[in-house]
Structures are given as C-alpha cells and as structure tokens.
Amino acid sequence: MSVLVVGADTPRGEEIVEALSAKEPQLRVFVSAEDVAAELRERPGIHVAEGDVSDSSHVEGAATRCFTAVLVTTAACDDRERAFARTDVAVLKGWCDAIAACGVTRAIWVLDPAHADWQPPEAAPEQVVLPLDHPDLAAEVARLDDAAEL
C-alpha cells in the first residue's frame, strides 16, 4: 500500500523516509525544498511531489490512492514559504481536509513541540499522534505503517 510522507524535507522527515524506503517498494514524499526533491528523485522507488505545504490541493494530489499519510508538522511551522495559509494551524487543517478528501485510511501525525497542544480532527479512519522527540520515531512510524490496525 502506498505511503506519503509530508514534510520529508525536515530532519525527522528524512529519518522517516529512510526507514520507510527500506521496506516500501514505492514511497511518496511531499517536499518544498528543491535540493531535497532533486536528491530524492535519484532514489529508486521514491516518488516526489514538490510544492507549497500550505496548498491543500497539492497535498491532496500527492495523497491520492495512499493508504497511509505521515504528516510531520514541523513543515507547517518552520521557515519555508507558505502562500496559501497564513498560520501553521491553517496549514494543518488543510492537511486534514486533503487526506480526508482522498480517502487516506491511516494518518500518522508527528507533532512538532509547537503543536503539542493541537489535536488533529478525525481526518482518517485510523489515526495516531507521535511526538517529534519520540526516541525511535522512524522505527515506530515504520512499525505503525505495518500494523494490522492502529
């Protein structure tokens, strides 16, 4: 089943991509950084969507026909350019709308400390929240992706 990592161009997102690419024959990533996009395009089995994380239509397009979406919320609050949503909470709401619209079954939210008090609405039938500072974050995301259910 296809997996999408939104925020794959964040440090923790890169770790998650490493863990998932070792077991997923086809992994989708959504990035804003051109240099990271170019590097990831060179890797077999990784499909890159490059765009503005605040454009929910871009995220929705990348998530279409994905079973799992891994959403690294650092990408909603770091220093990257965002033209469609003015606040990080608006970006996160757009992500919720995007994955719900395209029928993602499993959402794995990786919360930046800036979002520690934020609780994602029911955007997918199966949903889990992990803190960004989880000691074995990438391995836990890979385990959850493989789990029969959350």
Side-chain angles (χ1 to χ4, degrees):
M1 298 274 190
S2 292
V3 178
L4 169 67
V5 180
V6 177
D9 51 354
T10 64
R12 297 297 268 177
E14 290 175 7
E15 293 172 17
I16 292 166
V17 168
E18 287 302 315
L20 291 174
S21 66
K23 66 174 205 60
E24 289 291 333
Q26 294 206 356
L27 178 64
R28 296 183 200 178
V29 298
F30 190 94
V31 301
S32 298
E34 290 180 27
D35 57 332
V36 175
E39 178 185 315
L40 289 170
R41 283 188 179 100
E42 297 297 318
R43 295 181 52 185
I46 296 181
H47 301 272
V48 178
E50 185 178 354
D52 184 334
V53 296
S54 70
D55 185 343
S56 60
S57 68
H58 285 180
V59 176
E60 183 178 339
T64 299
R65 293 188 295 281
C66 282
F67 180 79
T68 300
V70 180
L71 304 124
V72 184
T73 69
T74 302
C77 65
D78 59 12
D79 62 355
R80 74 186 68 214
E81 184 176 330
R82 285 175 279 284
F84 292 88
R86 297 292 176 222
T87 68
D88 53 341
V89 173
V91 173
L92 299 177
K93 183 187 180 317
W95 293 359
C96 290
D97 294 346
I99 65 173
C102 64
V104 166
T105 299
R106 182 171 291 172
I108 301 172
W109 292 91
V110 179
L111 292 189
D112 188 276
H115 304 117
D117 295 331
W118 182 77
Q119 288 296 314
E122 294 296 322
E126 297 179 32
Q127 194 160 273
V128 67
V129 174
L130 298 172
L132 187 69
D133 63 355
H134 186 288
D136 296 314
L137 179 64
E140 181 63 4
V141 169
R143 185 191 72 74
L144 291 168
D145 177 49
D146 281 341
E149 60 184 47
L150 297 181

